[in-house]
Amino acid sequence: RGVQSAGDLGEGGSDCTGSVTFWSLLGVPFLLLGGLVVVKRVQASRGPIDPELVRRRRAQRVAQQKLAGAKAFLDRGESRPFYDEISKGLLGYVGDKLNLPLSQMGQDNIRQRLEVLAVSEAARDRFMGVLKTCEMALFAGKDNAAAMQESYETALAVVVEVEQELGGKK
């Protein structure tokens, strides 16, 4: 028989180029490309994403995750890692929420920034009190289960309170 054409190669087989599956698979890359173009246009119309705004919005959720980690240490009675997590959670929260770098995380600076943003004196005092308790526990070896429970509850409450007071301010 001589040279076979492409159509002759599949003797006894079906012609897949006419099937719905073939045309569907052929169209998928074009649909994905079109979808990508639409998504990029929508993102461009919204404007650039401000990373600081994203951090501020996530601040409470991140703090609550850290405090949940502290709860695990509380349940096991491990005071040092407990107070470390509470401290990291509160400092991380205030750093993200107020856009403070780690180098400016002094207690006086935190108190002043919260005051400027009109956070109530009671909330500021509770926030700073929990931070001081954490420092005392970490550096002086405080190991009291009742104090740990109180610190945990106060930390949770003060994050929620500060978040409500700040609302849309920052």
Side-chain angles (χ1 to χ4, degrees):
R1 230 173 104 170
V3 179
Q4 295 178 340
S5 68
D8 294 336
L9 291 177
E11 287 182 26
S14 64
D15 186 15
C16 70
T17 58
S19 71
V20 173
T21 305
F22 173 79
W23 290 107
S24 298
L25 291 174
L26 186 64
V28 166
F30 294 107
L31 289 174
L32 290 175
L33 183 62
L36 184 63
V37 168
V38 169
V39 166
K40 289 294 185 184
R41 284 190 180 174
V42 167
Q43 284 179 344
S45 70
R46 290 183 182 168
I49 297 173
D50 182 9
E52 289 179 18
L53 179 62
V54 172
R55 268 189 26 212
R56 283 192 298 259
R57 288 184 178 167
R58 279 190 331 195
Q60 181 181 11
R61 186 175 53 235
V62 170
Q64 287 175 334
Q65 288 171 347
K66 284 281 189 194
L67 294 178
K71 175 75 168 132
F73 291 121
L74 172 66
D75 293 341
R76 291 194 303 257
E78 299 176 28
S79 65
R80 188 162 184 80
F82 167 77
Y83 283 111
D84 191 40
E85 281 296 300
I86 293 283
S87 179
K88 285 179 183 176
L90 292 178
L91 290 174
Y93 170 75
V94 79
D96 288 346
K97 197 68 180 178
L98 304 178
N99 194 28
L100 283 174
L102 191 57
S103 62
Q104 295 179 4
M105 287 284 192
Q107 288 190 10
D108 293 334
N109 195 21
I110 292 171
R111 180 179 289 279
Q112 181 184 17
R113 293 288 300 266
L114 290 173
E115 186 176 342
V116 167
L117 292 172
V119 172
S120 69
E121 186 175 351
R124 286 191 314 260
D125 288 345
R126 276 194 297 283
F127 191 91
M128 300 312 294
V130 174
L131 282 178
K132 284 180 184 178
T133 300
C134 290
E135 280 185 10
M136 291 290 289
L138 287 170
F139 300 110
K142 190 175 186 181
D143 192 13
N144 180 347
M148 288 170 60
Q149 183 66 40
E150 182 183 339
S151 295
Y152 175 73
E153 291 170 2
T154 304
L156 279 176
V158 79
V159 166
V160 170
E161 185 177 358
V162 169
E163 185 70 20
Q164 288 173 345
E165 288 190 24
L166 288 176
K169 294 178 191 175
K170 192 78 180 154

